[in-house]
Amino acid sequence: MDSTGTLRLPETITSIGEGAFSDLEGLKTIIIPGTVKEIKKNAFSDNKDLETVILEEGVEIIGTSAFQNCKNLVSVSLPESLIKIESSVFTNCEKLSEIRIPSKIETINSYLFYGCSNLTNIQLSLIH
């Protein structure tokens, strides 16, 4: 992580394990390369400082509660390659106000945005 709180994961990573970056102090921005195909359960949960999540093209699955309780999360960029978002991924992300769901998503699971009190804009992309 650099001095601004930004962490760009290396392109040698193909999966982020369960709870791998959970409750990490000072993490403000995470950039996940497309070589990562799956983000597992609770991978980034309870990060109080996390503000920005950038998932690059190639990421396919976000596991249950991956970003749960990231209360300062404001911006999430989801790639078109994403096909599965499991339940409670953004639960209690209180500052998240808008998000775009990519067109390849097959299912929107339960409690995805539970407790996102400022979420006012959800854009669903249609397959053409």
Side-chain angles (χ1 to χ4, degrees):
M1 181 169 28
D2 69 16
S3 61
T4 67
T6 299
L7 176 61
R8 175 182 267 287
L9 296 178
E11 293 188 3
T12 54
I13 295 176
T14 58
S15 178
I16 299 173
E18 186 172 328
F21 296 93
S22 181
D23 202 22
L24 182 63
E25 284 193 32
L27 179 63
K28 291 186 177 182
T29 301
I30 182 71
I31 303 166
I32 300 171
T35 55
V36 172
K37 298 304 174 196
E38 182 176 3
I39 300 168
K40 298 200 176 170
K41 182 178 181 179
N42 294 312
F44 294 93
S45 63
D46 301 307
N47 275 304
K48 65 180 181 181
D49 299 321
L50 188 61
E51 298 171 353
T52 304
V53 172
I54 300 168
L55 305 179
E56 294 181 342
E57 198 61 41
V59 176
E60 296 176 349
I61 300 168
I62 303 175
T64 301
S65 304
F67 297 98
Q68 180 174 307
N69 296 323
C70 293
K71 300 204 182 279
N72 285 305
L73 185 59
V74 175
S75 175
V76 177
S77 175
L78 301 176
E80 278 301 314
S81 57
L82 197 63
I83 56 173
K84 185 174 184 181
I85 303 175
E86 294 183 356
S87 64
S88 304
V89 169
F90 299 108
T91 293
N92 295 324
C93 293
E94 297 171 354
K95 292 190 177 179
L96 187 63
S97 63
E98 64 180 82
I99 194 163
R100 187 189 63 77
I101 306 294
S103 62
K104 291 183 181 178
I105 290 293
E106 296 169 356
T107 305
I108 296 175
N109 286 291
S110 61
Y111 300 103
L112 183 60
F113 300 113
Y114 181 81
C116 295
S117 54
N118 286 314
L119 188 60
T120 57
N121 185 5
I122 300 174
Q123 181 182 8
L124 299 172
S125 298
L126 300 175
I127 298 175
H128 293 94

